[in-house]
Amino acid sequence: MKLFECQECGQVLRFENRRCERCTHLLGFIPEQTTLSALEPADDDMWRALAMPDTLWRFCDNAAWDVCNWLVPADWPERFCVACRHNRTVPDLSDAENLRKWRKMEVASHRLFYTLLQLRLPTPNVADDPARGLAFDFLADPADGKVLTGHDDGLITVALQEADDAEREMRRTQMGEPYRTLLGHFRHEVGHYYWDRLIADANGFEACRAVFGDEREDYDAALKRHYSEGVPADWQMHFVSAYATTHPWEDFAETWAHYLHIVDCLETARAFGLEVHPEIAADDLFHAQVKIDPYQAGGFAQLIEVWLPLTFALNAMNRSMGLNDLYPFILSPDAIAKLSFVHDLVHAPRQ
């Protein structure tokens, strides 16, 4: 995520900021420009954005719940922004705990859509494209069971309990996962959606199978085998995560999620001008200057060249604070080849 700047006073802003702390201007995000703008009031609950002053704007209706600060052109008929229009079901907001959890969900959701917009990926919603649209259900657990997070033909269900830090940590431990976050869930599940759109719809099966394996393998049987037999002993030589070993669909979705982790983190590192130059490492493999825009990289090699030393340094920083590694994964040559496939797929020309 890049840093933003208040157009009124020059204050450095973060993506989730609602108001400039220096000049007190209200802030709104313009998805068409992927930029955060200071606002000045106009007539009838409309706003003029200093970053794009020739257009009048209004806030997404979800701003009323303090879960969204994205803007909609004032002359659009839509009530919701381009991110929130994908919400098919939200929890009962009369419950304060549901609202608190949903707010956490929307932070992750909007960060996801920022990345998708930066990558210029198609993001149709089901209202505009019922056959191929993307939608989200944010569901609380019923009295007699638990909601499972997952994807089904464009519909992504996210269990609201995942927004409870203690519950998510318990599930992370039970599942033996080194990493489990709301944003990670969104990135993984949307990977399934883009497999449908960019592989299945484009008849790209053969190229994908050559890298990830044959998705025609029985998925239910593969899932049962994964949980009963565990993962292969040499899984780190071929996959980005243990869960990726389950089935080619999960391998693709896990790799897709990691690709989004990488481009977002590298944009953040670039925004802060981060460099890695270990004093005792003469080998260039441990040195990095994050200067390239990760969304404009010509090939994945440009990204991995700076990602590996950056994560080495950031993991060391986390350990100095007694925390788990920021990026607790090993990227083998096979895993890097899969990430390169995703990079090329994302940047391939398409209608």
Side-chain angles (χ1 to χ4, degrees), residues 171-187:
R171 295 184 185 189
R172 186 190 70 79
T173 302
Q174 289 176 343
M175 303 292 284
E177 298 174 344
Y179 169 91
R180 189 182 181 97
T181 67
L182 281 177
L183 186 53
H185 280 315
F186 278 95
R187 287 171 173 167

Side-chain angles (χ1 to χ4, degrees), residues 29 49 64 135 226 233-234 269 307:
F29 185 78
H226 172 77
D234 65 343
W307 178 243

